[in-house]
Amino acid sequence: MTQRALRERVARLREEIEHHNHQYYVLDAPEIPDAGYDRLFRELEQLEAAHPELIAADSPTRRVGAAPLAAFDPVAHRQPMLSLNNAFDPEEVEAFDRRAREALGHSGIEYAAGPKFDGLAISLVYEAGLFVRGATRGDGYTGEEVTANLRTIRSIPLRLPAQRAVPSLLEVRGEVLMLRADFERLNQRQQVQGEKVFANPRNAAAGSLRQLDPRITAGRKLTFFAYDVSGSTDWVAPDKYSQLIEFIE
């Protein structure tokens, strides 16, 4: 192959692999069998091994885990990552609605309801469509940078689709979690290996994401659910939350 043909083939493989990652890990609608995916992945690995100059930070092969870290670096959030409040009876819900209407100066508010996942709140920052940094909530103002670990989660795109109108800066927030079936498989494996089992899926997700060795995170099946955009440039937020979720998806 010529150098140009090599670059085009590598770019095409990365695009195909990330497309199939999205179909499998996000939409739960795989288009090819596992063997077909593995062939694409192995070909990309072989081309990058033979031509290291073609390796890129957003390549799917970089998801396997980087070198262990000595510690997590602190990250100051652009906007605070606040926790949610609870309401246990209708009176508390009505009181929240009253405070919201008073604060916003509106007589009526339209609400969107969704599931609350029991995981770990995470912020993802994209610059020019490339995933550059991820952080935990921490104390709400300063979190821990866990970028290398987040790169191993296949439902998180390393690069946003080029055919979309992508803001030059985009900060997405959401939850890293472990599905119950994956939690049960992990605990079975831990038990067989004589290692500590996890108390619940949230505990397993938090423990897996906060590993100083990203290779350990890569060996545990985590997923990510995005629910908000907390900061961006070149983009105007839609009026309805349902439209925001469609944009994120």
Side-chain angles (χ1 to χ4, degrees), residues 11-99:
R12 179 61 181 163
L13 284 168
R14 288 173 183 162
E15 185 179 332
E16 284 189 48
I17 290 169
E18 288 297 359
H19 168 76
H20 292 303
N21 279 340
H22 184 74
Q23 291 296 124
Y24 185 93
Y25 292 100
V26 178
L27 303 182
D28 197 23
E31 295 177 342
I32 61 174
D34 290 349
Y37 178 91
D38 291 341
R39 279 195 297 272
L40 294 172
F41 199 89
R42 280 197 299 270
E43 183 183 351
L44 179 58
E45 282 184 315
Q46 291 165 0
L47 287 174
E48 290 183 343
H51 304 276
E53 71 278 6
L54 299 181
I55 296 175
D58 61 329
S59 174
T61 61
R62 302 299 95 187
R63 291 188 183 274
V64 295
L69 303 170
F72 294 120
D73 292 330
V75 174
H77 298 303
R78 298 170 188 270
Q79 293 182 19
M81 291 185 71
L82 304 177
S83 58
L84 298 179
N85 288 331
N86 293 324
F88 295 100
D89 56 50
E91 289 74 22
E92 289 180 314
V93 176
E94 290 168 3
F96 170 81
D97 175 65
R98 183 177 63 255
R99 292 195 302 272

Side-chain angles (χ1 to χ4, degrees), residues 180-192:
R180 289 190 179 276
D182 298 322
F183 167 72
E184 290 167 4
R185 280 191 287 267
L186 173 61
N187 264 353
Q188 288 171 1
R189 192 176 71 197
Q190 294 285 104
Q191 206 164 22
V192 168

Side-chain angles (χ1 to χ4, degrees), residues 31-247:
E31 295 177 342
I32 61 174
D34 290 349
Y37 178 91
D38 291 341
R39 279 195 297 272
L40 294 172
F41 199 89
R42 280 197 299 270
E43 183 183 351
L44 179 58
E45 282 184 315
Q46 291 165 0
L47 287 174
E48 290 183 343
H51 304 276
E53 71 278 6
L54 299 181
I55 296 175
D58 61 329
S59 174
T61 61
R62 302 299 95 187
R63 291 188 183 274
V64 295
L69 303 170
F72 294 120
D73 292 330
V75 174
H77 298 303
R78 298 170 188 270
Q79 293 182 19
M81 291 185 71
L82 304 177
S83 58
L84 298 179
N85 288 331
N86 293 324
F88 295 100
D89 56 50
E91 289 74 22
E92 289 180 314
V93 176
E94 290 168 3
F96 170 81
D97 175 65
R98 183 177 63 255
R99 292 195 302 272
R101 284 187 285 107
E102 290 172 354
L104 293 170
H106 289 293
S107 59
I109 296 175
E110 201 172 358
Y111 288 93
K116 168 63 176 74
F117 291 113
D118 201 13
L120 201 65
I122 291 293
S123 167
L124 308 177
V125 176
Y126 290 84
E127 294 179 358
L130 183 67
F131 174 51
V132 295
R133 187 169 58 259
T136 63
R137 178 166 60 199
D139 64 3
Y141 298 91
T142 302
E144 294 176 319
E145 183 178 351
V146 288
T147 308
N149 291 357
L150 290 167
R151 286 181 182 277
T152 71
I153 301 176
R154 294 175 187 259
S155 54
I156 294 177
L158 301 181
R159 181 179 290 278
L160 301 178
Q163 64 269 29
R164 303 276 182 174
V166 178
S168 56
L169 173 68
L170 181 70
E171 183 177 347
V172 176
R173 290 182 177 176
E175 200 92 355
V176 164
L177 59 139
M178 184 176 288
L179 302 180
R180 289 190 179 276
D182 298 322
F183 167 72
E184 290 167 4
R185 280 191 287 267
L186 173 61
N187 264 353
Q188 288 171 1
R189 192 176 71 197
Q190 294 285 104
Q191 206 164 22
V192 168
Q193 295 174 348
E195 298 180 8
K196 177 186 174 182
V197 296
F198 293 96
N200 52 61
R202 187 195 184 283
N203 177 257
S208 299
L209 188 66
R210 297 190 68 257
Q211 292 287 331
L212 292 174
D213 187 347
R215 291 170 295 188
I216 297 176
T217 307
R220 298 177 182 175
K221 193 173 179 183
L222 298 173
T223 191
F224 177 76
F225 184 89
Y227 52 69
D228 193 18
V229 172
S230 61
S232 65
T233 57
D234 318 321
W235 179 73
V236 178
D239 293 330
K240 291 181 177 291
Y241 183 70
S242 58
Q243 295 170 331
L244 177 66
I245 289 297
E246 288 173 5
F247 168 79

